[in-house]
PDB file of all heavy atoms in Angstrom:
ATOM      1  N   ALA A  19     132.059  64.271 286.993  1.00 91.00           N
ATOM      2  CA  ALA A  19     131.031  65.143 287.565  1.00 91.00           C
ATOM      3  C   ALA A  19     131.170  66.516 286.942  1.00 91.00           C
ATOM      4  O   ALA A  19     132.258  66.901 286.499  1.00 91.00           O
ATOM      5  CB  ALA A  19     131.163  65.217 289.085  1.00 91.00           C
ATOM      6  N   PRO A  20     130.094  67.305 286.894  1.00 91.00           N
ATOM      7  CA  PRO A  20     130.184  68.662 286.340  1.00 91.00           C
ATOM      8  C   PRO A  20     131.127  69.539 287.174  1.00 91.00           C
ATOM      9  O   PRO A  20     131.229  69.370 288.396  1.00 91.00           O
ATOM     10  CB  PRO A  20     128.740  69.179 286.434  1.00 91.00           C
ATOM     11  CG  PRO A  20     127.897  67.966 286.577  1.00 91.00           C
ATOM     12  CD  PRO A  20     128.713  66.967 287.298  1.00 91.00           C
ATOM     13  N   GLU A  21     131.801  70.447 286.504  1.00 93.00           N
ATOM     14  CA  GLU A  21     132.651  71.393 287.224  1.00 93.00           C
ATOM     15  C   GLU A  21     131.833  72.163 288.256  1.00 93.00           C
ATOM     16  O   GLU A  21     132.251  72.360 289.392  1.00 93.00           O
ATOM     17  CB  GLU A  21     133.314  72.366 286.240  1.00 93.00           C
ATOM     18  CG  GLU A  21     134.345  71.718 285.321  1.00 93.00           C
ATOM     19  CD  GLU A  21     135.568  71.258 286.095  1.00 93.00           C
ATOM     20  OE1 GLU A  21     136.317  72.131 286.582  1.00 93.00           O
ATOM     21  OE2 GLU A  21     135.751  70.034 286.232  1.00 93.00           O
ATOM     22  N   VAL A  22     130.669  72.619 287.845  1.00 93.00           N
ATOM     23  CA  VAL A  22     129.710  73.226 288.768  1.00 93.00           C
ATOM     24  C   VAL A  22     128.365  72.570 288.504  1.00 93.00           C
ATOM     25  O   VAL A  22     127.798  72.706 287.426  1.00 93.00           O
ATOM     26  CB  VAL A  22     129.606  74.766 288.575  1.00 93.00           C
ATOM     27  CG1 VAL A  22     128.609  75.346 289.575  1.00 93.00           C
ATOM     28  CG2 VAL A  22     130.959  75.430 288.745  1.00 93.00           C
ATOM     29  N   ALA A  23     127.865  71.829 289.479  1.00 93.00           N
ATOM     30  CA  ALA A  23     126.638  71.058 289.299  1.00 93.00           C
ATOM     31  C   ALA A  23     125.417  71.792 289.844  1.00 93.00           C
ATOM     32  O   ALA A  23     124.320  71.675 289.311  1.00 93.00           O
ATOM     33  CB  ALA A  23     126.764  69.701 289.978  1.00 93.00           C
ATOM     34  N   ALA A  24     125.611  72.545 290.943  1.00 93.00           N
ATOM     35  CA  ALA A  24     124.484  73.211 291.583  1.00 93.00           C
ATOM     36  C   ALA A  24     124.996  74.391 292.393  1.00 93.00           C
ATOM     37  O   ALA A  24     126.194  74.519 292.651  1.00 93.00           O
ATOM     38  CB  ALA A  24     123.721  72.237 292.481  1.00 93.00           C
ATOM     39  N   SER A  25     124.078  75.248 292.768  1.00 94.00           N
ATOM     40  CA  SER A  25     124.439  76.373 293.631  1.00 94.00           C
ATOM     41  C   SER A  25     123.304  76.604 294.617  1.00 94.00           C
ATOM     42  O   SER A  25     122.155  76.277 294.356  1.00 94.00           O
ATOM     43  CB  SER A  25     124.686  77.647 292.805  1.00 94.00           C
ATOM     44  OG  SER A  25     123.552  77.975 292.030  1.00 94.00           O
ATOM     45  N   ILE A  26     123.652  77.149 295.773  1.00 93.00           N
ATOM     46  CA  ILE A  26     122.676  77.472 296.801  1.00 93.00           C
ATOM     47  C   ILE A  26     122.755  78.968 297.044  1.00 93.00           C
ATOM     48  O   ILE A  26     123.837  79.519 297.275  1.00 93.00           O
ATOM     49  CB  ILE A  26     122.929  76.699 298.092  1.00 93.00           C
ATOM     50  CG1 ILE A  26     122.747  75.190 297.850  1.00 93.00           C
ATOM     51  CG2 ILE A  26     121.985  77.168 299.208  1.00 93.00           C
ATOM     52  CD1 ILE A  26     123.066  74.327 299.037  1.00 93.00           C
ATOM     53  N   HIS A  27     121.595  79.631 296.978  1.00 92.00           N
ATOM     54  CA  HIS A  27     121.548  81.083 297.106  1.00 92.00           C
ATOM     55  C   HIS A  27     120.676  81.473 298.292  1.00 92.00           C
ATOM     56  O   HIS A  27     119.593  80.916 298.491  1.00 92.00           O
ATOM     57  CB  HIS A  27     120.997  81.721 295.827  1.00 92.00           C
ATOM     58  CG  HIS A  27     121.789  81.352 294.605  1.00 92.00           C
ATOM     59  ND1 HIS A  27     122.903  82.034 294.221  1.00 92.00           N
ATOM     60  CD2 HIS A  27     121.626  80.335 293.723  1.00 92.00           C
ATOM     61  CE1 HIS A  27     123.393  81.484 293.130  1.00 92.00           C
ATOM     62  NE2 HIS A  27     122.637  80.447 292.799  1.00 92.00           N
ATOM     63  N   ARG A  28     121.173  82.435 299.043  1.00 88.00           N
ATOM     64  CA  ARG A  28     120.405  82.950 300.176  1.00 88.00           C
ATOM     65  C   ARG A  28     119.498  84.070 299.688  1.00 88.00           C
ATOM     66  O   ARG A  28     119.970  85.074 299.143  1.00 88.00           O
ATOM     67  CB  ARG A  28     121.332  83.457 301.279  1.00 88.00           C
ATOM     68  CG  ARG A  28     120.589  83.940 302.507  1.00 88.00           C
ATOM     69  CD  ARG A  28     121.513  84.185 303.672  1.00 88.00           C
ATOM     70  NE  ARG A  28     120.758  84.485 304.882  1.00 88.00           N
ATOM     71  CZ  ARG A  28     121.262  84.504 306.096  1.00 88.00           C
ATOM     72  NH1 ARG A  28     122.552  84.221 306.265  1.00 88.00           N
ATOM     73  NH2 ARG A  28     120.521  84.782 307.138  1.00 88.00           N
ATOM     74  N   LYS A  29     118.180  83.910 299.875  1.00 83.00           N
ATOM     75  CA  LYS A  29     117.197  84.907 299.475  1.00 83.00           C
ATOM     76  C   LYS A  29     116.627  85.581 300.711  1.00 83.00           C
ATOM     77  O   LYS A  29     116.932  85.221 301.843  1.00 83.00           O
ATOM     78  CB  LYS A  29     116.084  84.242 298.661  1.00 83.00           C
ATOM     79  CG  LYS A  29     116.561  83.476 297.426  1.00 83.00           C
ATOM     80  CD  LYS A  29     117.069  84.385 296.352  1.00 83.00           C
ATOM     81  CE  LYS A  29     117.402  83.613 295.088  1.00 83.00           C
ATOM     82  NZ  LYS A  29     117.877  84.498 294.001  1.00 83.00           N
ATOM     83  N   SER A  30     115.753  86.549 300.468  1.00 77.00           N
ATOM     84  CA  SER A  30     115.154  87.276 301.586  1.00 77.00           C
ATOM     85  C   SER A  30     114.269  86.386 302.437  1.00 77.00           C
ATOM     86  O   SER A  30     114.064  86.647 303.625  1.00 77.00           O
ATOM     87  CB  SER A  30     114.341  88.464 301.065  1.00 77.00           C
ATOM     88  OG  SER A  30     113.301  88.016 300.210  1.00 77.00           O
ATOM     89  N   ASP A  31     113.728  85.299 301.847  1.00 76.00           N
ATOM     90  CA  ASP A  31     112.830  84.426 302.598  1.00 76.00           C
ATOM     91  C   ASP A  31     113.386  83.017 302.785  1.00 76.00           C
ATOM     92  O   ASP A  31     112.638  82.093 303.104  1.00 76.00           O
ATOM     93  CB  ASP A  31     111.466  84.356 301.919  1.00 76.00           C
ATOM     94  CG  ASP A  31     111.569  83.805 300.495  1.00 76.00           C
ATOM     95  OD1 ASP A  31     112.696  83.716 299.967  1.00 76.00           O
ATOM     96  OD2 ASP A  31     110.524  83.478 299.910  1.00 76.00           O
ATOM     97  N   GLY A  32     114.689  82.838 302.597  1.00 84.00           N
ATOM     98  CA  GLY A  32     115.278  81.525 302.828  1.00 84.00           C
ATOM     99  C   GLY A  32     116.327  81.171 301.791  1.00 84.00           C
ATOM    100  O   GLY A  32     116.889  82.036 301.122  1.00 84.00           O
ATOM    101  N   TYR A  33     116.592  79.861 301.658  1.00 90.00           N
ATOM    102  CA  TYR A  33     117.626  79.374 300.755  1.00 90.00           C
ATOM    103  C   TYR A  33     117.006  78.610 299.586  1.00 90.00           C
ATOM    104  O   TYR A  33     116.001  77.897 299.756  1.00 90.00           O
ATOM    105  CB  TYR A  33     118.589  78.447 301.499  1.00 90.00           C
ATOM    106  CG  TYR A  33     119.486  79.166 302.480  1.00 90.00           C
ATOM    107  CD1 TYR A  33     119.041  79.492 303.760  1.00 90.00           C
ATOM    108  CD2 TYR A  33     120.791  79.531 302.133  1.00 90.00           C
ATOM    109  CE1 TYR A  33     119.860  80.154 304.666  1.00 90.00           C
ATOM    110  CE2 TYR A  33     121.614  80.188 303.032  1.00 90.00           C
ATOM    111  CZ  TYR A  33     121.145  80.498 304.294  1.00 90.00           C
ATOM    112  OH  TYR A  33     121.963  81.156 305.178  1.00 90.00           O
ATOM    113  N   VAL A  34     117.621  78.759 298.411  1.00 93.00           N
ATOM    114  CA  VAL A  34     117.132  78.113 297.188  1.00 93.00           C
ATOM    115  C   VAL A  34     118.285  77.379 296.517  1.00 93.00           C
ATOM    116  O   VAL A  34     119.387  77.928 296.383  1.00 93.00           O
ATOM    117  CB  VAL A  34     116.546  79.146 296.200  1.00 93.00           C
ATOM    118  CG1 VAL A  34     116.156  78.483 294.888  1.00 93.00           C
ATOM    119  CG2 VAL A  34     115.336  79.838 296.802  1.00 93.00           C
ATOM    120  N   LEU A  35     118.056  76.117 296.139  1.00 94.00           N
ATOM    121  CA  LEU A  35     119.048  75.364 295.370  1.00 94.00           C
ATOM    122  C   LEU A  35     118.720  75.494 293.885  1.00 94.00           C
ATOM    123  O   LEU A  35     117.580  75.279 293.473  1.00 94.00           O
ATOM    124  CB  LEU A  35     119.069  73.904 295.774  1.00 94.00           C
ATOM    125  CG  LEU A  35     120.105  73.041 295.023  1.00 94.00           C
ATOM    126  CD1 LEU A  35     120.791  72.062 295.971  1.00 94.00           C
ATOM    127  CD2 LEU A  35     119.479  72.271 293.862  1.00 94.00           C
ATOM    128  N   VAL A  36     119.731  75.865 293.091  1.00 93.00           N
ATOM    129  CA  VAL A  36     119.578  76.016 291.645  1.00 93.00           C
ATOM    130  C   VAL A  36     120.398  74.942 290.955  1.00 93.00           C
ATOM    131  O   VAL A  36     121.577  74.729 291.290  1.00 93.00           O
ATOM    132  CB  VAL A  36     120.053  77.415 291.183  1.00 93.00           C
ATOM    133  CG1 VAL A  36     119.989  77.520 289.669  1.00 93.00           C
ATOM    134  CG2 VAL A  36     119.204  78.502 291.830  1.00 93.00           C
ATOM    135  N   ALA A  37     119.785  74.231 290.012  1.00 92.00           N
ATOM    136  CA  ALA A  37     120.484  73.202 289.246  1.00 92.00           C
ATOM    137  C   ALA A  37     121.267  73.862 288.118  1.00 92.00           C
ATOM    138  O   ALA A  37     120.681  74.297 287.124  1.00 92.00           O
ATOM    139  CB  ALA A  37     119.501  72.185 288.694  1.00 92.00           C
ATOM    140  N   VAL A  38     122.581  73.968 288.255  1.00 91.00           N
ATOM    141  CA  VAL A  38     123.413  74.499 287.171  1.00 91.00           C
ATOM    142  C   VAL A  38     123.402  73.507 286.009  1.00 91.00           C
ATOM    143  O   VAL A  38     123.336  73.899 284.847  1.00 91.00           O
ATOM    144  CB  VAL A  38     124.842  74.768 287.673  1.00 91.00           C
ATOM    145  CG1 VAL A  38     125.738  75.255 286.534  1.00 91.00           C
ATOM    146  CG2 VAL A  38     124.819  75.800 288.801  1.00 91.00           C
ATOM    147  N   LYS A  39     123.454  72.213 286.332  1.00 92.00           N
ATOM    148  CA  LYS A  39     123.230  71.179 285.332  1.00 92.00           C
ATOM    149  C   LYS A  39     121.852  70.583 285.613  1.00 92.00           C
ATOM    150  O   LYS A  39     121.671  69.846 286.593  1.00 92.00           O
ATOM    151  CB  LYS A  39     124.288  70.074 285.391  1.00 92.00           C
ATOM    152  CG  LYS A  39     124.071  68.998 284.337  1.00 92.00           C
ATOM    153  CD  LYS A  39     125.163  67.962 284.344  1.00 92.00           C
ATOM    154  CE  LYS A  39     124.890  66.890 283.259  1.00 92.00           C
ATOM    155  NZ  LYS A  39     125.924  65.850 283.230  1.00 92.00           N
ATOM    156  N   PRO A  40     120.850  70.908 284.810  1.00 92.00           N
ATOM    157  CA  PRO A  40     119.481  70.466 285.086  1.00 92.00           C
ATOM    158  C   PRO A  40     119.381  68.947 285.255  1.00 92.00           C
ATOM    159  O   PRO A  40     119.946  68.174 284.466  1.00 92.00           O
ATOM    160  CB  PRO A  40     118.705  70.941 283.863  1.00 92.00           C
ATOM    161  CG  PRO A  40     119.483  72.108 283.345  1.00 92.00           C
ATOM    162  CD  PRO A  40     120.932  71.765 283.612  1.00 92.00           C
ATOM    163  N   GLY A  41     118.671  68.530 286.306  1.00 92.00           N
ATOM    164  CA  GLY A  41     118.431  67.117 286.555  1.00 92.00           C
ATOM    165  C   GLY A  41     119.560  66.402 287.266  1.00 92.00           C
ATOM    166  O   GLY A  41     119.406  65.244 287.669  1.00 92.00           O
ATOM    167  N   TYR A  42     120.700  67.074 287.469  1.00 94.00           N
ATOM    168  CA  TYR A  42     121.831  66.409 288.120  1.00 94.00           C
ATOM    169  C   TYR A  42     121.689  66.405 289.640  1.00 94.00           C
ATOM    170  O   TYR A  42     121.820  65.353 290.263  1.00 94.00           O
ATOM    171  CB  TYR A  42     123.149  67.059 287.684  1.00 94.00           C
ATOM    172  CG  TYR A  42     124.379  66.268 288.071  1.00 94.00           C
ATOM    173  CD1 TYR A  42     124.826  65.211 287.280  1.00 94.00           C
ATOM    174  CD2 TYR A  42     125.081  66.560 289.228  1.00 94.00           C
ATOM    175  CE1 TYR A  42     125.944  64.476 287.637  1.00 94.00           C
ATOM    176  CE2 TYR A  42     126.204  65.836 289.592  1.00 94.00           C
ATOM    177  CZ  TYR A  42     126.624  64.795 288.801  1.00 94.00           C
ATOM    178  OH  TYR A  42     127.737  64.069 289.170  1.00 94.00           O
ATOM    179  N   PRO A  43     121.426  67.549 290.264  1.00 95.00           N
ATOM    180  CA  PRO A  43     121.203  67.504 291.717  1.00 95.00           C
ATOM    181  C   PRO A  43     119.842  66.887 292.039  1.00 95.00           C
ATOM    182  O   PRO A  43     118.878  67.056 291.281  1.00 95.00           O
ATOM    183  CB  PRO A  43     121.275  68.967 292.141  1.00 95.00           C
ATOM    184  CG  PRO A  43     120.915  69.738 290.922  1.00 95.00           C
ATOM    185  CD  PRO A  43     121.395  68.934 289.741  1.00 95.00           C
ATOM    186  N   VAL A  44     119.785  66.167 293.149  1.00 95.00           N
ATOM    187  CA  VAL A  44     118.548  65.516 293.589  1.00 95.00           C
ATOM    188  C   VAL A  44     118.264  65.958 295.015  1.00 95.00           C
ATOM    189  O   VAL A  44     119.141  65.884 295.877  1.00 95.00           O
ATOM    190  CB  VAL A  44     118.686  63.973 293.528  1.00 95.00           C
ATOM    191  CG1 VAL A  44     117.443  63.296 294.076  1.00 95.00           C
ATOM    192  CG2 VAL A  44     118.954  63.521 292.096  1.00 95.00           C
ATOM    193  N   VAL A  45     117.061  66.451 295.272  1.00 94.00           N
ATOM    194  CA  VAL A  45     116.669  66.891 296.612  1.00 94.00           C
ATOM    195  C   VAL A  45     115.512  66.010 297.088  1.00 94.00           C
ATOM    196  O   VAL A  45     114.465  65.951 296.438  1.00 94.00           O
ATOM    197  CB  VAL A  45     116.264  68.371 296.632  1.00 94.00           C
ATOM    198  CG1 VAL A  45     115.761  68.768 298.018  1.00 94.00           C
ATOM    199  CG2 VAL A  45     117.437  69.252 296.245  1.00 94.00           C
ATOM    200  N   ASN A  46     115.742  65.307 298.180  1.00 93.00           N
ATOM    201  CA  ASN A  46     114.732  64.407 298.755  1.00 93.00           C
ATOM    202  C   ASN A  46     114.186  63.429 297.722  1.00 93.00           C
ATOM    203  O   ASN A  46     112.992  63.173 297.642  1.00 93.00           O
ATOM    204  CB  ASN A  46     113.580  65.217 299.371  1.00 93.00           C
ATOM    205  CG  ASN A  46     114.034  66.114 300.509  1.00 93.00           C
ATOM    206  OD1 ASN A  46     114.990  65.793 301.224  1.00 93.00           O
ATOM    207  ND2 ASN A  46     113.366  67.243 300.691  1.00 93.00           N
ATOM    208  N   GLY A  47     115.096  62.898 296.896  1.00 92.00           N
ATOM    209  CA  GLY A  47     114.718  61.895 295.911  1.00 92.00           C
ATOM    210  C   GLY A  47     114.155  62.431 294.617  1.00 92.00           C
ATOM    211  O   GLY A  47     113.866  61.657 293.701  1.00 92.00           O
ATOM    212  N   GLN A  48     114.021  63.767 294.484  1.00 92.00           N
ATOM    213  CA  GLN A  48     113.463  64.362 293.272  1.00 92.00           C
ATOM    214  C   GLN A  48     114.523  65.142 292.515  1.00 92.00           C
ATOM    215  O   GLN A  48     115.212  65.979 293.094  1.00 92.00           O
ATOM    216  CB  GLN A  48     112.298  65.315 293.640  1.00 92.00           C
ATOM    217  CG  GLN A  48     111.144  64.629 294.349  1.00 92.00           C
ATOM    218  CD  GLN A  48     110.417  63.642 293.452  1.00 92.00           C
ATOM    219  OE1 GLN A  48     110.206  63.906 292.269  1.00 92.00           O
ATOM    220  NE2 GLN A  48     110.021  62.508 294.014  1.00 92.00           N
TER     221      GLN A  48
END
């Protein structure tokens, strides 16, 4: 697995998941 695969960042209007390795994390099947 990647050393760092994804990150979650708290923004002013909520939370955002960022793919550190593009296409590796899957959210709700996508």
Side-chain angles (χ1 to χ4, degrees):
E21 292 292 291
V22 181
S25 58
I26 296 176
H27 303 274
R28 183 169 187 167
K29 304 290 186 179
S30 60
D31 60 347
Y33 289 83
V34 175
L35 181 139
V36 175
V38 177
K39 181 177 180 180
Y42 192 83
V44 176
V45 176
N46 298 330
Q48 300 293 320

